[in-house]
Each structure stands twice: as C-alpha cells, then as structure tokens.
Amino acid sequence: MKAGTTAAATAGRSFDRSDVISSPRLGKLIADLERHFDFVIIDAPAIKNVGAQRLASIADGTVMVVRAGHTPHDEVTEALKLVPRDACTGVVLNESDAKEPFTRKDRKTLL
C-alpha cells in the first residue's frame, strides 16, 4: 500500500452487512472519517442492492464500475437511474478492448 494510505477491512469477521448499512451510526462513522482523511472510499455491491443505494444516498459521490462485454446495456441504464444524476461522479469501464480512448462525445453511447 502506498505511504499515506489507510485501509480498513472487515474480513475475518462474520456480520450482516444490511445491519451495518442500515444503522444510523454509519452516517456518523463516515462523517468522523471525513474529518481525518481527504478521501473516504467505500467499495459497495452493485447499486441494485438496497444497501448500495443507502450508501450512495449518504456519500458525496458515486463511481459506477461496469464490466465491458459482460454487463448488459439495459442494466447500466437502470442502475444509473437509481443514483441522482449529480451524485454519479463517473463511470469506470473495466476490461474494455477499445483501441481509442473513451471521450465525452462517446457519452451518449453509454447513457
């Protein structure tokens, strides 16, 4: 891990993720982390998951990760509807075999 980077993991402990995400203490935890760190990144399940929608509602922004050639276009479109437009700060297209870089003019193809 790069110097100056901190990570917190939950591996090794059995817990119900939905209990953690629905807890009113989660918002306080994130606020506390924001006071100590420049960025707080939460790796969450697919946005169709209710827990991920809750996280998106309290986060400053959401980056959607889409697997090229695997995630159907209609699922991406539906997922984007679940996140307020101003909260979706970006989309990462993984495993793309595109020969040219994706640009803003290509955005309509994705959306």
Side-chain angles (χ1 to χ4, degrees):
M1 190 176 306
K2 190 173 182 177
T5 302
T6 303
T10 57
R13 183 159 181 216
S14 179
F15 65 94
D16 185 351
R17 234 183 260 143
S18 61
D19 285 346
V20 173
I21 292 172
S22 64
S23 170
R25 296 185 317 177
L26 180 63
K28 182 182 179 329
L29 172 64
I30 292 173
D32 288 346
L33 290 169
E34 288 176 331
R35 281 195 294 280
H36 296 284
F37 299 99
D38 295 329
F39 297 98
V40 177
I41 300 171
I42 301 168
D43 184 10
I47 197 67
K48 293 188 299 184
N49 177 296
V50 174
Q53 291 173 41
R54 160 96 166 102
L55 286 171
S57 75
I58 61 176
D60 290 336
T62 302
V63 176
M64 193 153 313
V65 179
V66 178
R67 187 172 167 197
H70 180 78
T71 309
H73 184 270
D74 58 327
E75 283 188 27
V76 174
T77 302
E78 290 304 311
L80 286 168
K81 290 177 185 176
L82 296 173
V83 179
R85 194 158 185 79
D86 60 339
C88 187
T89 58
V91 177
V92 174
L93 185 62
N94 275 348
E95 299 183 23
S96 172
D97 62 356
K99 304 295 183 233
E100 298 294 320
F102 187 80
T103 64
R104 282 193 173 273
K105 67 180 173 127
D106 299 318
R107 185 171 173 231
K108 289 191 188 245
T109 306
L110 180 62
L111 303 176

